[in-house]
Each structure stands twice: as C-alpha cells, then as structure tokens.
Amino acid sequence: MRLKLLTLALALTVLPLSGHSEDLLDAYREARANDPVLSQADASRLSTGEGVTQARALLLPQLNAGLTFSQASGNNSLAGTAGGSGHSRSRDVSATLNQSVLDLSKWASLKTARSQSDAENELYQAALQALYVRVTQAYFGVLTAQDSLTYAKANEDAYKQSYEQADQRFKVGLSAVTDVYQAKSYYELAKAQTIAAQNTLNDSREALTQITGKPTGELKKLREDLPMDAPSPDDPNTWVQEALKNNPNVLSQQYTVEAAEHSISAARAGHLPTINATVTRGETTSWLENGSYNRPGNGRLGTTAGLTLSVPIFAGGATQSRVRQSIYQRDAAQDSLEAQRRQVARDTLNFYRSVGAGILQVQAAKASVDSGQKALEATRAGFDVGTQTMLNVLNSIQTLTQAESSYSQARHTFILNKLQLKQSSGTIDLKDLESVNALLQ
C-alpha cells in the first residue's frame, strides 16, 4: 500500500492537467510581444540604421536660407551722402545651395554607416534566435521545478510513512529506537527539501514571467515517448562550418570589421582635397532712418555661383592620429571576430556532443528509475520479513526519487540542447519551436 502511494505521487507528473494549459508557442507569442531584451535589440537596430540616412545626407544638396538685419548710427558714408547724420539700416536676404562635389571621407563614412547598420541587423537576428532558446529554457525550467517539487513531496510522504511505521514498531517492541531516529532524520530533511523545491518552482515561474510579461499559468508537459534522434547531419565539422557561416553573432562581427576598414579610409581621406559647389541667390536693401535715401540698385536680386577647393595642409597631427586610431579599432574588431568564431565553434561542438550524450543519459536515467522502483519493492518486502533494515528502506526511497528527478531533467535538457545546437549554427527558426511544441501534451 505504501509503495502504491509513492508510485501514484510520482506518476502525477506525467498526467495532463485538467482544463486549458499553456504550451510553448503561447509563451513564445507573449515573449515576442513583450520581451524587453528583444525590444531593446530592435530599437538599437533602428537607431543605428538612421546613421545611414545621416551619412547619405552629407552627400546630398544642402539648402539654407538667411536673413540679416543691421543698423549703423552716427556719421557714415550713407548718411553723409544725404547731407546729414542719423541711423542707416541694412537687410540681407539670401538662399544658399551647397553640394559636395568631391569628398572621399563622406563616401567612406557612408560605407561605414551601412556596415554598422548591417552589424546591428545581425545582432537583432541573434536576439531573435536567442529568444527561441530563452523561452524554451524558462518553460522547461518550470516543468523541471514542478517535477522536482512532486518528487520532493512524494519523498516526504514516503519518509513520513516510514517514520510512523518505525515509531509504531518500536512502541510494540518489534524494532530498536535507532530505526525511529533514522526515519525521523530522513523525514525532517525531506520536509526541508520540499520547501526548497517549492521556492525553486516559484522562482522558475517568475523567470518565465520576466520574458513573457504575464503570470505563468499551468503548462503542458513533455510526453513520455520522446524521439531520441541524433543530430543530422551526424558530423560535427559540418555543424561547425555551418555555424561559422550563418551564426548572426559571427556575421555581426564581420560587418563590424568592415565598418572599421571603412573608418580607416575615411580618416585617411582627411589628407585629400575636397571640392564643394555653392550657389547663392539674395538681395541687399539699405535705407536711412527717415527713409529718405536709397542708393542705386538697392534691393535687386543677385546670384553668385562658384566652386571651392579645400586642400588640407597641416592640422596639428590630428588627421594622422585619427588614422592610427581607426587602425587600432580595426585590429580590435578583428580580434573580437576571431574570439567570436572560436567561441561559436566551441559552443557548436559542445551542443553537438551534448545531444549525443543526452540520448544515453535519458536512456540511463529511465533504466535507473525502473531499477529504483524494483529495488524499493524488494527492500520493503525484505524489511517486512526482517532481512532489511529501516536505513536500507530509507536509502531506497531516496535513490528512487533522485532517479526520477534525474530522468525528468535529462529529458528537458536533451530537448534544450537540440535547440541550442540549431541556435549556435544560426539555423534555428520558428519551425524548430513548433517541433518542440508538438512534443507537449
């Protein structure tokens, strides 16, 4: 009877809950709409993209209008011509059109801005792909914590029954007081473990809420018959090559290196001459305070057009310093790219191996659960006939619940490692999440 109660408590973890339960896609939809990390990446992408518009604008015509009003008092040539003294006033109205004809630094800056925008776009893709994994990780974190709490409660109930049985047997003289102390010690420890498991579950729910922005309800669980498929293709080098080619973090670093190269060109262009075209259309009007004087040609519109050639000769060493600074920044970007490539290669190999090892771990954990159940049955039967001690029974209960917990965690970790392998290779998408969601019930 005691064994049946323990088995029933453990079996509750694989039974579907009544009523509507959220699944992984529900959590993802909420996260896609509410996750601040993804929103931040999107805002950063849009902000950096504006740099392209600003850099391009420097190569387009610039139109400015101006109005100047001035007044001169006392004796002046204008007033003297009128035979007296007083205030003279002047108004200049003009419109100026500027067009850059030759400025290689501006063209290089435009290329820099485009590469920086491409880098941010890839970072946004990386954040989007990371969201698939973060949601799944938080979702399975709740499921694992739920299972751990269920096993902890089952453990506590089993130890409580053993403690009560030991105490009853001691009172009727069938066992020593040592059995009572041992059973009580395990029972009290189990109660503390249940409290800790409940706290872990609460925190796991908050972790999912942090991503989705809404309280976490009842979640669907993994079905028992999981497909134990090895990575396809079954070649780690192929996965690494795919990752180095498609991983958005690697691509972002590549664009960052490109941007740094263009920045060097822009800095070096500071040594080169520039040509700028200017067209100005305006009029100048002058008059005396009493309005009695108007010089000939006053108030007529005039147009001025020309080209300006600027040749930099010496800027105190600032231009050459900017060139050296840009080269150092390019070198740093190249080092970051190499570090990113190595990290991605390592992560890809690790997840590839973890998926293969996860198949064996799930199988071993399941076998451990089966053996633990049989061992507990045999130990309890031996205790009833006097061939096993209370300590052996307590250890068997502990072994079984630990095996159940390991089995639950191994199943969740296996699915998560498959997603992380796809993420590392840069090929994860919504279809992968849908495939995982199809394994829930």
Side-chain angles (χ1 to χ4, degrees), residues 288-415:
L288 292 176
E289 182 180 12
N290 58 13
S292 61
Y293 177 77
N294 286 303
R295 63 182 177 85
N298 205 21
R300 292 182 180 178
L301 289 172
T303 302
T304 303
L307 291 175
T308 301
L309 172 66
S310 298
V311 181
I313 297 176
F314 181 67
T319 302
Q320 191 60 37
S321 175
R322 284 192 287 269
V323 172
R324 292 194 300 269
Q325 183 184 49
S326 298
I327 292 175
Y328 297 147
Q329 291 172 343
R330 187 272 315 274
D331 293 343
Q334 288 178 336
D335 291 336
S336 296
L337 171 60
E338 181 59 25
Q340 186 68 59
R341 287 171 59 88
R342 295 182 184 184
Q343 184 66 52
V344 166
R346 174 188 173 186
D347 291 343
T348 303
L349 289 173
N350 177 56
F351 292 131
Y352 176 86
R353 294 164 183 155
S354 295
V355 172
I359 296 174
L360 301 177
Q361 289 175 333
V362 171
Q363 294 172 348
K366 181 172 175 44
S368 178
V369 171
D370 295 337
S371 298
Q373 291 174 341
K374 295 176 181 178
L376 179 57
E377 292 175 2
T379 304
R380 281 197 179 279
F383 178 76
D384 290 339
V385 298
T387 59
Q388 296 286 345
T389 65
M390 175 58 67
L391 182 60
N392 291 338
V393 175
L394 297 174
N395 286 336
S396 295
I397 295 173
Q398 186 180 56
T399 299
L400 175 58
T401 52
Q402 287 177 346
E404 290 278 6
S405 181
S406 297
Y407 179 52
S408 169
Q409 186 171 0
R411 281 158 44 86
H412 296 153
T413 301
F414 172 73
I415 298 298

Side-chain angles (χ1 to χ4, degrees), residues 251-272:
L251 295 178
S252 176
Q253 286 295 332
Q254 290 176 349
Y255 284 123
T256 300
V257 173
E258 286 185 11
E261 294 282 2
H262 294 314
S263 293
I264 295 176
S265 299
R268 285 175 174 163
H271 292 294
L272 303 177

Side-chain angles (χ1 to χ4, degrees), residues 214-292:
K214 59 171 293 185
T216 301
E218 296 297 333
L219 304 179
K220 292 184 178 180
K221 300 185 177 184
L222 277 179
R223 67 180 190 227
E224 183 63 26
D225 54 327
L226 291 182
M228 296 285 108
D229 299 327
S232 179
D234 192 9
D235 178 22
N237 292 327
T238 301
W239 281 97
V240 170
Q241 293 303 318
E242 190 77 10
L244 296 179
K245 183 174 63 174
N246 296 320
N247 186 282
N249 288 308
V250 172
L251 295 178
S252 176
Q253 286 295 332
Q254 290 176 349
Y255 284 123
T256 300
V257 173
E258 286 185 11
E261 294 282 2
H262 294 314
S263 293
I264 295 176
S265 299
R268 285 175 174 163
H271 292 294
L272 303 177
T274 61
I275 300 177
N276 191 66
T278 304
V279 177
T280 302
R281 178 76 168 171
E283 68 174 17
T284 300
T285 304
S286 300
W287 67 95
L288 292 176
E289 182 180 12
N290 58 13
S292 61

